[in-house]
C-alpha cells in the first residue's frame, strides 16, 4: 500500500492505525476502488482510478463532461464492464453487499410514460429485498408511503408519473432510494434540472442521511455549491486528479487541472469556481 | 467452369431473371444505405406490409395485374402508412416502434382481408396476387425486367442528383433544417424511393424478405468504409451480387426459390464483412482491444516500477 | 360447434399475446416480437423434419429455441455496434429465408403450406384433433395454445414484479440483483412459444397483430400496468369475436379480419380514451380555454 504522508495529521492517523491486530487501513471503508479502468469501444473513459471513501460523509464527484463520472458509478455497480481494477464495498464484492447499496440513476434513464404511479415506483425499490417469489405487501406499501412523505411527495402517491414535474420526479427517485434503506448511496446528477425548492429538499435529505451515518456519493455539476454541500470531493477527468476533503482539494490548481483551464475563479483562493 | 457460366447465360429466361435481380439488388442496396443510416431499416418491412391493401385496391378498381398500377397503389398506401405512424407518435404517448408495428400489422391484416375477397371473387383466380406475397422471381418476364431497369435508373439518378442533400438529411436533419434545406420534402423523397424499391422487391423476394434487400447489403457495406459515397456503391454491389447468387443457385437446384437464397447470400456477405473487415470488423476490433489492454498493463507496470525507485508521491486518493 | 372452436382458439391466442404484448411495447420491443414470430419458421421446419410428423411438443420446444436464438443474434449484433433496427431486420429475414428454403426443399416431408405460415387456416382447426388414450379430446391447436397460455400465466404471475421492474428501469433492476438478461430471454421465449403454438392456426400476422395492437390500445386507456394487461386481454377477445363475425359476413380471411377489428378498436381508443384520447383532449382544451 502506498501511503500519503504529506501531513502530520495523516502521519498521526497512520500511527493510530498501526496498532497490533489491525490493518493499516480501516477494515471496512464503504467503498474502495483500486486501479479501475473502463473503456467503451476501445476509447478509454477511466484509467488508473484508485480511492478510498470515508464513512458517513457526503462526497461530490466532479469533472467536466465526458470525464467519466457516471461511468465510475456504473462500473462500481457492475452496470458496465471494467477493463481492469477492483471494487470493494464494505470490504467485500458488490454482489455480496448489494442490499446495503442504494442507487439513484439519472432521470432520463427511465421511461416516464410507464403506466404506474409514484407510490408504485417507490415500492419498486424494495424488490431487491423481496427475493424471487414474494410480492410487495402492506409492509412495503407503508414503507414507501413513509419515504414519499419524507421527500414531501405525500400528496402525490397515486399520481401517474408522467404528470409529475422534473423536480417531483427527482424526489420520487430519492424516495425510492430511501426505501432501499442502504448504507451507501450513489446518486447520478440528482440536482440536474430541478427547481430551487426541490434542490433544498434534496440537500436537507442528504444531510439527514449523513446524520444517520450513511455515506452518499453524488455526481454533481454545479461548482458553485460544492463547498456548501460536500465534505469530500473526487475530481475526475478520465483519471483521478485529486481526492480528499473539500477544503483541501477543492482549490484552484486542482480545479484548473480537472477542468483544463476552462474555469474562472471568482473570489477567494478556494473560492467559488464558475465553469 | 466456363461452360457452366455459359449455360446459364444462354437460356434467355434465366438471363432476364438474372438481370432483373441484379438491377433490383443494386438499387435496393443504394437506397437502403440511406434508410440504414437514418436508423429506419424496419421502415422497409413496414412499407412492404402496408403496401398490400394499396395493391389490392389498385387491382380491385382496375381488374388488371400491372406492376405500374401496383406501384401506384403501394405508394399511396405507403404514404398513408407513414402519416399514420407520425400521427400516432405525435398525438399519443405511443412510441415509434410500437406505432410502426401497429400500422404494419393492421394494414397487412386489412390487405389480407381484401386479398381473400379478391380470391373468392370471379376475377380472383388469375390475379396471382398471393404468389406476389412470396415473390416469384422465377416468373419474371421481359416486361418485368424493363420495369426493374426503370426502377433502378430512377433510384440511381435520384441518389446521384440529391446525394449531398440525402447525406445531410440522414446525418443531421436538425442542422439541415437550420441551413434552410427542405428537410420534410427530402425525407418524403427518400421514402418515395424506398417504396419504389420495396414494391419492386416484393415481386422478387416476397413481402417478408424485402426488408433484407434494403438493410443487409447496406450494413455489410458500412463495415468496409467510412465514406458515404463508397458505402452506397458497395451496398449496391453487394445487393447485385446477392441477386445474382440467388438467381444462379436457384436455377441449378430444383425447388429452391430465388428470394430466400438472395437474402441468404446477402446475409453471408454481411457475416463476412462483420467479422473480417479491417478496422470495423469484429476480428480487427478484438485484436485492437487485446492490444489496448496489454498496452495499458505495460504502462501500469512501468509506472509502478518508476514510483518504486522514486520518492513516494500521492498515487492513491486517500481522504 | 366449429364456430366455438375457432373463437376459442382465437381467444387463447389473443390472450396469450395480450399479456406478453404489454411488456413488449413497454420495453419498446414490439418489432422484436414481430421478428421472432417470423424467425421461428426454420425451427418449425426442422422440428417437422426431425420428428417426421406434427408431433406438437417437439415442435413447440424446437421452434422456441429458434426464437431465443433470434434474440441472441440480435443482441450480439447490437453489442457489436449495429443499430437495433438493422440488427432486427438482418436476423429475422435471414432466419425466415432459411425456413422457406427448408420447407421448399423438403416439400415431400414437410406438410406445410407457405401461405399457411402467414395466414394460418383457423377454419380448419377443429378437424385436426388430438387423440389421447384413444379418445378424441378436441383440436390439437386448442391444447397447444391452452398449455402455452397456462405457462404464460404461471411465469408472469410468479415473477410479475421482476418483469415489471425490468420493463420500467432495467438499471435499477440490475442494481437490485435481478438477472435482467434472464428475464429478457424468458419473455422472448414465451413470445416464441406463443408464435409456434399459434402459427398453424392463425399464422404470423395474427400473432404479431395480437401482440401489439390490443396492448397499445390498452396503454392508452389506463395508467396502471395491471389494468393495462386486463384491458389488452379483453380487447383481444373482442377482436377475436368481432373479427370472426366480420369474416363470416364478408367471406374473407378470419385472421385478417381479427387484426382489422383490433385496429378499429385501437383507433377508437386513440380518439376517445378518457385519459389520453385525442378527441377528448381537444374538447378539454377548448373547454379550459373559456
Amino acid at each position: 500500500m502506498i501511503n500519503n504522508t504529506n501531513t502530520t495529521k495523516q502521519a498521526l492517523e497512520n500511527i493510530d492505525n498501526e496498532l497490533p491486530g489491525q490493518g493499516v487501513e480501516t477494515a471496512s471503508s464503504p467503498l474502495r476502488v483500486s486501479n479501475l479502468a473502463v473503456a467503451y469501444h476501445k476509447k478509454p473513459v477511466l484509467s488508473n482510478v484508485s480511492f478510498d471513501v470515508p464513512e458517513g460523509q457526503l462526497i461530490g464527484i466532479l469533472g467536466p463532461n465526458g470525464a467519466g463520472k457516471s461511468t465510475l458509478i456504473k462500473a462500481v455497480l457492475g452496470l458496465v464492464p471494467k477493463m481492469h481494477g477492483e471494487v470493494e464495498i464494505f470490504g467485500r464484492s458488490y454482489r455480496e453487499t448489494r442490499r446495503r447499496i442504494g442507487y439513484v440513476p439519472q432521470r432520463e434513464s427511465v421511461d416516464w410514460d410507464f403506466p404506474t404511479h409514484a407510490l408504485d415506483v417507490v415500492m419498486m425499490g424494495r424488490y431487491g429485498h423481496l427475493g424471487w417469489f414474494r410480492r410487495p405487501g402492506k409492509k412495503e406499501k407503508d414503507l414507501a408511503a413513509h419515504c414519499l412523505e419524507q421527500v414531501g411527495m405525500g400528496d402525490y402517491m397515486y399520481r401517474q408519473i408522467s404528470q409529475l414535474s422534473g423536480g417531483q420526479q427527482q424526489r420520487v427517485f430519492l424516495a425510492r432510494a430511501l426505501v432501499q434503506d442502504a448504507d451507501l448511496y450513489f446518486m447520478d446528477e440528482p440536482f440536474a434540472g430541478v427547481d430551487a425548492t426541490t434542490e433544498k429538499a434534496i440537500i436537507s435529505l442528504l444531510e439527514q442521511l449523513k446524520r444517520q451515518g450513511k455515506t452518499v456519493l453524488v455526481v454533481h455539476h454545479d461548482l458553485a455549491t460544492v463547498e456548501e454541500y460536500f465534505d469530500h470531493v473526487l475530481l475526475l477527468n478520465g483519471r483521478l486528479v485529486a481526492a480528499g476533503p473539500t477544503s483541501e482539494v477543492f482549490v484552484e490548481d486542482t480545479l484548473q487541472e480537472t477542468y483544463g483551464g476552462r474555469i474562472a475563479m471568482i473570489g477567494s483562493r478556494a473560492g467559488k469556481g464558475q465553469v | 467452369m466456363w461452360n457452366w457460366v455459359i449455360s446459364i447465360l444462354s437460356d434467355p429466361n434465366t438471363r432476364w431473371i438474372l438481370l432483373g435481380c441484379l438491377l433490383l439488388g443494386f438499387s435496393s442496396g443504394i437506397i437502403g444505405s440511406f434508410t440504414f443510416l437514418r436508423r429506419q431499416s424496419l421502415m422497409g418491412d413496414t412499407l412492404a406490409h402496408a403496401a398490400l391493401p394499396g395493391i389490392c385496391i389498385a387491382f380491385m378498381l382496375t381488374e388488371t395485374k400491372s406492376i405500374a398500377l401496383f406501384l401506384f397503389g403501394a405508394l399511396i398506401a405507403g404514404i398513408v402508412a407513414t402519416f399514420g405512424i407520425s400521427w400516432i407518435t405525435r398525438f399519443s404517448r405511443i412510441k415509434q416502434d410500437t406505432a410502426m408495428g401497429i400500422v404494419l400489422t393492421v394494414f397487412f391484416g386489412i390487405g389480407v382481408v381484401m386479398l381473400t375477397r379478391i380470391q373468392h371473387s370471379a376475377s380472383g383466380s388469375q390475379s396471382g396476387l398471393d404468389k406476389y406475397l412470396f415473390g416469384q422471381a422465377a416468373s419474371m418476364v421481359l416486361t418485368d425486367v424493363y420495369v426493374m431497369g426503370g426502377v433502378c435508373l430512377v433510384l440511381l439518378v435520384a441518389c446521384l442528383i440529391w446525394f449531398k442533400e440525402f447525406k445531410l438529411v440522414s446525418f443531421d436533419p436538425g442542422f439541415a433544417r437550420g441551413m434552410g434545406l427542405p428537410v420534410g420534402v427530402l425525407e418524403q423523397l427518400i421514402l418515395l424511393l424506398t417504396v419504389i424499391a420495396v414494391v419492386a422487391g416484393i415481386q422478387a423476394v416476397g413481402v417478408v424478405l424485402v426488408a433484407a434487400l434494403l438493410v443487409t447489403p447496406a450494413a455489410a457495406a458500412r463495415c468496409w468504409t467510412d465514406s458515404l459515397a463508397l458505402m452506397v456503391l458497395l451496398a449496391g454491389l453487394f445487393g447485385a451480387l446477392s441477386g445474382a447468387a440467388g438467381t444462379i443457385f436457384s436455377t441449378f437446384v430444383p425447388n429452391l426459390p430465388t428470394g430466400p437464397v438472395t437474402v441468404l447470400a446477402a446475409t453471408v456477405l454481411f457475416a463476412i464483412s462483420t467479422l473480417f473487415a479491417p478496422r470495423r470488423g469484429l476480428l480487427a476490433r478484438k485484436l485492437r482491444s487485446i492490444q489496448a489492454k496489454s498496452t495499458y498493463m505495460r504502462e501500469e507496470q512501468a509506472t509502478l516500477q518508476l514510483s518504486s525507485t522514486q520518492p513516494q508521491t500521492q498515487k492513491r486518493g486517500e481522504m | 360447434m366449429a364456430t366455438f372452436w375457432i373463437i376459442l382458439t382465437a381467444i387463447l391466442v389473443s390472450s396469450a399475446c395480450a399479456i406478453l404484448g404489454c411488456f413488449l411495447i413497454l420495453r419498446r420491443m414490439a418489432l422484436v416480437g414481430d421478428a421472432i414470430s417470423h424467425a421461428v419458421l426454420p425451427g418449425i421446419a426442422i422440428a417437422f423434419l426431425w420428428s417426421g410428423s406434427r408431433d406438437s411438443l417437439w415442435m413447440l420446444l424446437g421452434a422456441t429455441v429458434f426464437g431465443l436464438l433470434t434474440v441472441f443474434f440480435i443482441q450480439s449484433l447490437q453489442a457489436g455496434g449495429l443499430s437495433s433496427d438493422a440488427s432486427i431486420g438482418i436476423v429475422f429475414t435471414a432466419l425466415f429465408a432459411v425456413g422457406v428454403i427448408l420447407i421448399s426443399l423438403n416439400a415431400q416431408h414437410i406438410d406445410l403450406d407457405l401461405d399457411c405460415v402467414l395466414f394460418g387456416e383457423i377454419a380448419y382447426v377443429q378437424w385436426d384433433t388430438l387423440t389421447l388414450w384413444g379418445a378424441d379430446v378436441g383440436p390439437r391447436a386448442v391444447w397447444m395454445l391452452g398449455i402455452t397460455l397456462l405457462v404464460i400465466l404461471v411465469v408472469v404471475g410468479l415473477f410479475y414484479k421482476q418483469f415489471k421492474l425490468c420493463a420500467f428501469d432495467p438499471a435499477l433492476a440490475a442494481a437490485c440483483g435481478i438477472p435482467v438478461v434472464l428475464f429478457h430471454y424468458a419473455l422472448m421465449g414465451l413470445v416464441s412459444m406463443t408464435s409456434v403454438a399459434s402459427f398453424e392456426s392463425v399464422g404470423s400476422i395474427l400473432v404479431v397483430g395480437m401482440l401489439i395492437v390490443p396492448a397499445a390500445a390498452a396503454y392508452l386507456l389506463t395508467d396502471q400496468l395491471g389494468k393495462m394487461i386486463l384491458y389488452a386481454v379483453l380487447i383481444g377477445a373482442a377482436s377475436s369475436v368481432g373479427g370472426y363475425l366480420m369474416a363470416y359476413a364478408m367471406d374473407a380471411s378470419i385472421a385478417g379480419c381479427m387484426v382489422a377489428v383490433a385496429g378499429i378498436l385501437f383507433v377508437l381508443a386513440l380518439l376517445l380514451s378518457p385519459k389520453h384520447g385525442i378527441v377528448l383532449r381537444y374538447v378539454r382544451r377548448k373547454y379550459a380555454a373559456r
Side-chain angles (χ1 to χ4, degrees):
Chain A
M1 281 300 154
I2 301 169
N3 287 337
N4 171 15
T5 52
N6 277 352
T7 64
T8 323
K9 176 173 168 233
Q10 289 278 351
L12 284 172
E13 258 192 276
N14 286 342
I15 293 172
D16 275 343
N17 286 337
E18 268 164 340
L19 291 173
Q22 268 189 333
V24 176
E25 245 90 79
T26 47
S28 62
S29 99
L31 177 64
R32 165 171 308 153
V33 172
S34 315
N35 290 320
L36 182 67
V38 179
Y40 280 152
H41 297 312
K42 282 354 118 292
K43 259 197 327 239
V45 177
L46 286 175
S47 50
N48 204 6
V49 174
S50 305
F51 59 85
D52 269 312
V53 159
E55 201 163 351
Q57 304 290 321
L58 297 180
I59 298 122
I61 304 177
L62 310 169
N65 280 339
K69 311 189 290 289
S70 285
T71 309
L72 177 62
I73 294 190
K74 289 183 188 164
V76 165
L77 294 176
L79 296 174
V80 304
K82 314 195 281 287
M83 191 165 87
H84 187 261
E86 271 154 38
V87 172
E88 276 175 58
I89 300 186
F90 295 111
R92 320 175 99 121
S93 80
Y94 168 68
R95 237 172 294 281
E96 293 163 330
T97 46
R98 204 176 266 140
R99 296 277 176 89
R100 297 178 72 181
I101 298 175
Y103 177 39
V104 184
Q106 288 185 9
R107 267 212 318 283
E108 300 82 54
S109 67
V110 146
D111 172 20
W112 291 97
D113 275 331
F114 201 86
T116 183
H117 47 64
L119 185 67
D120 205 20
V121 173
V122 178
M123 279 204 285
M124 289 191 209
R126 291 302 290 177
Y127 282 6
H129 294 255
L130 287 175
W132 284 81
F133 295 110
R134 273 174 48 215
R135 303 178 156 288
K138 184 159 182 349
K139 201 170 69 135
E140 282 74 29
K141 202 163 170 190
D142 291 337
L143 190 60
H146 173 67
C147 290
L148 272 176
E149 303 269 352
Q150 275 189 286
V151 297
M153 291 283 290
D155 293 331
Y156 295 86
M157 280 201 283
Y158 293 104
R159 189 70 61 90
Q160 157 70 1
I161 53 179
S162 62
Q163 294 171 351
L164 300 175
S165 74
Q168 291 171 326
Q169 287 173 345
Q170 194 62 56
R171 283 194 257 173
V172 169
F173 258 12
L174 277 172
R176 188 176 73 173
L178 282 180
V179 100
Q180 292 176 282
D181 196 24
D183 294 318
L184 173 62
Y185 284 98
F186 294 91
M187 303 192 182
D188 202 345
E189 306 240 17
F191 296 102
V194 301
D195 52 277
T197 334
T198 307
E199 183 152 348
K200 282 198 186 31
I202 296 177
I203 196 60
S204 76
L205 188 72
L206 294 185
E207 303 270 314
Q208 186 190 322
L209 287 175
K210 176 177 159 184
R211 279 196 296 276
Q212 293 170 354
K214 324 259 186 189
T215 313
V216 186
L217 278 101
V218 178
V219 172
H220 195 62
H221 62 278
D222 182 13
L223 291 179
T225 44
V226 170
E227 285 180 312
E228 195 188 325
Y229 291 167
F230 301 111
D231 313 305
H232 295 253
V233 289
L234 288 171
L235 294 174
L236 277 184
N237 189 355
R239 57 185 179 87
L240 188 69
V241 173
T246 315
S247 49
E248 282 172 32
V249 169
F250 196 70
V251 296
E252 176 154 5
D253 39 357
T254 49
L255 282 173
Q256 294 288 5
E257 199 183 334
T258 309
Y259 287 88
R262 276 176 280 163
I263 54 173
M265 304 293 295
I266 300 168
S268 59
R269 174 191 66 100
K272 317 216 175 292
Q274 302 285 333
V275 177
Chain B
M1 171 71 175
W2 259 139
N3 290 340
W4 182 68
V5 174
I6 299 209
S7 73
I8 300 177
L9 296 178
S10 59
D11 174 24
N13 235 7
T14 320
R15 270 211 300 272
W16 297 133
I17 300 176
L18 188 61
L19 195 58
C21 288
L22 259 169
L23 290 173
L24 181 67
F26 187 65
S27 39
S28 301
I30 290 184
I31 191 65
S33 306
F34 293 105
T35 50
F36 172 74
L37 289 171
R38 286 161 56 80
R39 304 187 172 230
Q40 292 189 325
S41 303
L42 290 173
M43 194 53 95
D45 189 40
T46 309
L47 288 173
H49 284 80
L52 186 60
I55 295 174
C56 287
I57 293 181
F59 182 80
M60 288 196 296
L61 288 177
T62 65
E63 306 254 317
T64 48
K65 176 189 178 220
S66 124
I67 294 285
L69 214 60
F70 289 171
L71 197 66
F72 187 66
L75 209 60
I76 306 283
I79 294 178
V80 173
T82 17
F83 272 122
I85 295 174
S86 38
W87 277 335
I88 295 178
T89 38
R90 199 151 25 119
F91 290 119
S92 79
R93 59 184 187 169
I94 289 186
K95 310 293 184 299
Q96 206 202 16
D97 70 313
T98 307
M100 277 170 69
I102 294 172
V103 166
L104 194 160
T105 51
V106 173
F107 272 57
F108 193 68
I110 294 177
V112 167
V113 171
M114 291 184 188
L115 188 66
T116 47
R117 292 274 301 149
I118 292 175
Q119 284 177 320
H120 293 167
S121 73
S123 52
S125 45
Q126 19 105 321
S127 68
L129 273 179
D130 53 336
K131 287 292 162 274
Y132 198 72
L133 289 182
F134 272 99
Q136 279 293 317
S139 65
M140 257 194 248
V141 293
L142 189 53
T143 35
D144 294 329
V145 179
Y146 281 154
V147 173
M148 293 293 186
V151 161
C152 183
L153 207 64
V154 166
L155 285 172
L156 255 176
V157 166
C159 289
L160 267 172
I161 297 179
W162 288 298
F163 186 76
K164 282 196 311 298
E165 287 77 4
F166 284 176
K167 183 177 183 175
L168 201 54
V169 159
S170 306
F171 175 60
D172 194 347
F175 178 71
R177 204 170 281 130
M179 257 177 62
L181 280 180
V183 169
V185 172
L186 284 166
E187 287 181 341
Q188 292 291 61
L189 193 56
I190 294 182
L191 186 71
L192 184 69
L193 296 171
T194 309
V195 171
I196 293 177
V198 159
V199 174
I202 295 182
Q203 224 212 163
V205 300
V207 162
V208 178
L209 296 174
V210 99
L213 288 179
L214 290 167
V215 188
T216 316
R222 182 71 185 90
C223 295
W224 295 95
T225 174
D226 282 327
S227 141
L228 180 60
L230 198 57
M231 175 185 162
V232 171
L233 211 59
L234 264 178
L237 201 66
F238 285 157
L241 269 172
S242 311
T247 317
I248 293 176
F249 279 114
S250 65
T251 314
F252 277 99
V253 181
N255 281 335
L256 198 61
T258 318
V261 181
T262 307
V263 171
L264 271 188
T267 310
V268 167
L269 280 172
F270 168 74
I272 296 177
S273 308
T274 300
L275 289 172
F276 300 119
R279 246 182 29 89
R280 290 183 67 96
L282 204 68
L283 221 61
R285 283 196 286 182
K286 199 85 203 153
L287 280 169
R288 275 208 310 275
S289 153
I290 297 177
Q291 272 178 350
K293 188 156 184 180
S294 68
T295 312
Y296 179 79
M297 298 296 291
R298 265 184 284 129
E299 284 173 0
E300 269 268 291
Q301 291 280 61
T303 338
L304 271 172
Q305 281 186 346
L306 215 59
S307 62
S308 67
T309 59
Q310 279 182 355
Q312 290 180 358
T313 44
Q314 176 176 355
K315 276 213 50 115
R316 226 180 142 62
E318 303 212 346
M319 304 203 246
Chain C
M1 197 55 187
T3 313
F4 169 72
W5 287 124
I6 294 175
I7 294 192
L8 179 63
T9 307
I11 291 185
L12 286 174
V13 171
S14 63
S15 305
C17 290
I19 299 174
L20 298 175
C22 287
F23 290 103
L24 279 180
I25 70 172
L26 287 172
R27 303 193 60 187
R28 314 208 191 185
M29 301 223 156
L31 294 172
V32 179
D34 178 36
I36 291 181
S37 69
H38 290 91
V40 292
L41 188 64
I44 294 171
I46 292 178
F48 238 102
L49 284 173
W50 186 284
S51 66
S53 71
R54 306 169 134 207
D55 194 333
S56 321
L57 190 63
W58 284 119
M59 207 159 76
L60 206 59
L61 289 175
T64 304
V65 165
F66 263 83
L68 295 174
L69 260 179
T70 310
V71 177
F72 174 68
F73 287 140
I74 294 177
Q75 302 273 67
S76 309
L77 286 179
Q78 275 184 262
L82 194 61
S83 60
S84 64
D85 57 312
S87 310
I88 297 172
I90 293 175
V91 173
F92 95 84
T93 49
L95 287 173
F96 191 75
V98 169
V100 175
I101 291 178
L102 280 175
I103 292 178
S104 305
L105 287 181
N106 293 292
Q108 61 270 48
H109 298 299
I110 302 183
D111 186 14
L112 265 183
D113 186 4
L114 278 176
D115 283 349
C116 172
V117 167
L118 278 189
F119 319 131
E121 201 38 85
I122 193 171
Y124 300 148
V125 141
Q126 45 172 322
W127 304 120
D128 185 15
T129 57
L130 193 61
T131 337
L132 281 181
W133 304 295
D136 181 343
V137 291
R140 204 163 39 86
V142 171
W143 276 94
M144 285 224 288
L145 285 165
I147 293 177
T148 306
L149 183 59
L150 195 64
V151 171
I152 292 176
L153 285 172
V154 166
V155 172
V156 174
L158 267 182
F159 301 111
Y160 184 67
K161 64 176 193 291
Q162 281 94 334
F163 280 116
K164 181 175 178 177
L165 190 55
C166 289
F168 176 58
D169 192 348
L172 182 77
C176 272
I178 295 176
V180 179
V181 174
L182 178 68
F183 281 102
H184 178 61
Y185 275 95
L187 183 65
M188 296 308 171
L190 290 172
V191 171
S192 200
M193 214 166 106
T194 309
S195 299
V196 177
S198 319
F199 98 94
E200 219 187 315
S201 44
V202 302
S204 323
I205 358 148
L206 191 60
V207 174
V208 182
M210 287 302 166
L211 273 173
I212 303 181
V213 184
Y219 183 51
L220 295 174
L221 292 174
T222 173
D223 285 330
Q224 285 197 54
L225 183 58
K227 282 200 196 150
M228 179 175 158
I229 295 180
L230 183 65
Y231 289 173
V233 170
L234 289 174
I235 294 175
S239 309
S240 302
V241 174
Y244 180 75
L245 293 173
M246 180 172 148
Y248 188 74
M250 289 179 62
D251 185 28
S253 154
I254 300 179
C257 285
M258 290 181 176
V259 173
V261 171
I264 293 174
L265 291 175
F266 169 76
V267 171
L268 284 176
L270 185 66
L271 293 173
L272 301 174
S273 157
K275 290 190 193 245
H276 301 282
I278 298 178
V279 166
L280 281 140
R281 278 202 308 214
Y282 181 72
V283 163
R284 241 177 277 148
R285 256 210 309 268
K286 292 222 104 174
Y287 201 66
R290 270 191 228 134

